[in-house]
Amino acid sequence: MTQAPVRTDILDVAREQVLERGEGLTQEQTLQILQLPDDKLTDLLQLAHDVRMKHCGPEVEVEGIISLKTGGCPEDCHFCSQSGLFASPVRSAWIDIPALVEAAKQTAKSGATEFCIVAAVRGPDKRLMAQVAAGIEAIRAEVDIQIACSLGMLTQEQVDELKAMGVHRYNHNLETARSHFPNVVTTHSWEERFGTLKMIREAGMEVCCGGILGMGETLEQRAEFAADLAALDPDEVPLNFLNPRPGTPFGDLDVLPAAEALKAVAAFRLALPRTILRFAGGREITLGDLGAKQGILGGINAVIVGNYLTTLGRPAETDLDLLEELQMPIKALNDSI
């Protein structure tokens, strides 16, 4: 009796394992995806799109972000121009509550259901927590939108305060693979970040956790990072691509090649089949307009519209027009509460 041939093609394996059974790829399998030749990219993106449609549906979640406190951060994240330790041009600044409310209004007008308040800090002090509380109260009085926060590392008391304010999702990125993290940040540890994420999860808030690709990590470390995130099982994973900032330690790194970035998008979708996978910073310089379309048809099901914290993004209207062209409906607010 002739034994049936064993299927060794990783795309065939992923089709059966992830698409049909809904089981994310392992770290080793994710590495095989990342190592695929460029001539397999079209097939890979189609599979990632099929997984996204089957396990997440066609809706795209749209979010805007605003920096409540910019610059002057004491941490040394090597990619970040907001660090007060580097000779980058960003300087410390706060925005007032009326400006915060106006930003939330403009975000809502774009069709976004999510507004994220961000601060460049190691963790919030009492002044910042008071400013966040006042800002959330003012926004809720005038805008119907979900509010998320990204304020660095938290204490349990601060987690409880944010929960009481009605913050439904908290962003705290692990940034990169655990093994690569010391090459990216030295003023705090991967474990400290993970501790905040654990408290957020236990408090009942949604966990938003992703990172930046193209910071000198190997393909093996990229696969490790996907596995780290799969183990955490966050509600949302924002995927950023390094946009080298002048004056930072990573300011001279090369921009990730578009094909490599798209393989990573698809690989993270196959490792995280049911997660909100969000296009975030750096996609414009890394992928351009065509790559943005390929990414949304290759596993992405959420986008940040407008500008980022210290870099310009695409106009919100451009992304919204693209979603309409691709017949990807924007997730409604009443469906996400």
Side-chain angles (χ1 to χ4, degrees):
M1 185 174 180
T2 304
Q3 188 174 10
V6 177
R7 291 180 305 163
T8 56
D9 185 273
I10 186 60
L11 289 177
D12 288 338
V13 171
R15 189 169 289 108
E16 194 277 331
Q17 178 179 322
V18 186
L19 181 61
E20 301 304 327
R21 291 192 278 126
E23 297 177 11
L25 296 184
T26 65
Q27 182 173 332
E28 178 56 38
Q29 290 171 327
T30 301
L31 177 59
Q32 292 178 52
I33 291 290
L34 293 168
Q35 292 172 332
L36 283 171
D38 288 355
D39 62 11
K40 293 284 188 180
L41 181 59
T42 299
D43 292 341
L44 171 60
L45 293 174
Q46 182 61 55
L47 175 57
H49 178 66
D50 292 343
V51 167
R52 168 266 174 107
M53 293 295 284
K54 179 172 181 177
H55 296 296
C56 300
E59 292 186 324
V60 176
E61 186 181 280
V62 177
E63 178 184 49
I65 60 176
I66 188 71
S67 184
L68 179 62
K69 185 221 174 249
T70 301
C73 182
E75 304 305 288
D76 74 344
C77 304
H78 291 11
F79 54 84
C80 187
S81 58
Q82 299 200 65
S83 172
L85 304 178
F86 307 143
S88 45
V90 175
R91 291 293 173 259
S92 183
W94 290 72
I95 68 168
D96 58 23
I97 299 301
L100 193 66
V101 173
E102 181 59 29
K105 287 180 178 178
Q106 294 304 315
T107 296
K109 284 180 181 178
S110 75
T113 57
E114 184 93 13
F115 182 68
C116 187
I117 301 171
V118 183
V121 291
R122 176 184 174 88
D125 57 16
K126 288 186 177 181
R127 177 193 175 191
L128 178 56
M129 290 295 287
Q131 191 86 342
V132 169
I136 290 175
E137 183 179 4
I139 290 168
R140 291 203 185 285
E142 298 194 44
V143 188
D144 185 16
I145 197 165
Q146 301 252 46
I147 298 175
C149 285
S150 181
L151 311 172
M153 291 174 285
L154 303 175
T155 65
Q156 184 62 58
E157 181 181 1
Q158 290 168 335
V159 169
D160 295 341
E161 287 180 33
L162 291 172
K163 174 71 173 177
M165 291 176 202
V167 173
H168 91 108
R169 183 182 293 167
Y170 193 82
N171 165 256
H172 194 51
N173 290 336
L174 287 173
E175 304 300 8
T176 190
R178 189 173 189 168
S179 66
H180 189 52
F181 191 88
N183 300 316
V184 177
V185 184
T186 68
T187 48
H188 60 264
S189 68
W190 189 95
E191 289 77 13
E192 285 177 287
R193 285 182 177 250
F194 192 85
T196 287
L197 292 164
K198 183 179 178 184
M199 287 189 289
I200 290 293
R201 164 73 43 77
E202 290 173 351
M205 282 184 275
E206 289 188 4
V207 172
C208 171
C209 179
I212 305 175
L213 304 181
M215 296 194 294
E217 75 278 3
T218 63
L219 292 183
E220 287 80 5
Q221 287 171 324
R222 211 166 285 165
E224 177 194 343
F225 184 36
D228 289 339
L229 292 172
L232 178 65
D233 191 25
D235 299 275
E236 174 188 339
V237 170
L239 279 183
N240 299 269
F241 304 96
L242 182 68
N243 183 349
R245 296 289 83 204
T248 67
F250 287 170
D252 294 327
L253 290 183
D254 292 332
V255 172
L256 201 63
E260 196 173 330
L262 288 169
K263 281 180 207 172
V265 168
F268 275 67
R269 169 52 68 206
L270 297 178
L272 299 151
R274 294 179 176 83
T275 300
I276 298 171
L277 195 59
R278 187 181 298 278
F279 255 161
R283 62 188 167 104
E284 296 79 12
I285 188 173
T286 303
L287 296 172
D289 290 344
L290 177 61
K293 179 183 290 188
Q294 289 177 300
I296 291 172
L297 292 176
I300 291 293
N301 65 330
V303 294
I304 292 176
V305 295
N307 296 328
Y308 304 107
L309 299 177
T310 61
T311 58
L312 297 176
R314 288 152 53 97
E317 296 78 15
T318 303
D319 281 324
L320 298 176
D321 289 345
L322 177 59
L323 295 178
E324 183 176 356
E325 175 192 338
L326 299 177
Q327 298 182 321
M328 298 291 177
I330 295 174
K331 187 174 183 180
L333 180 61
N334 58 5
D335 290 338
S336 56
I337 293 179

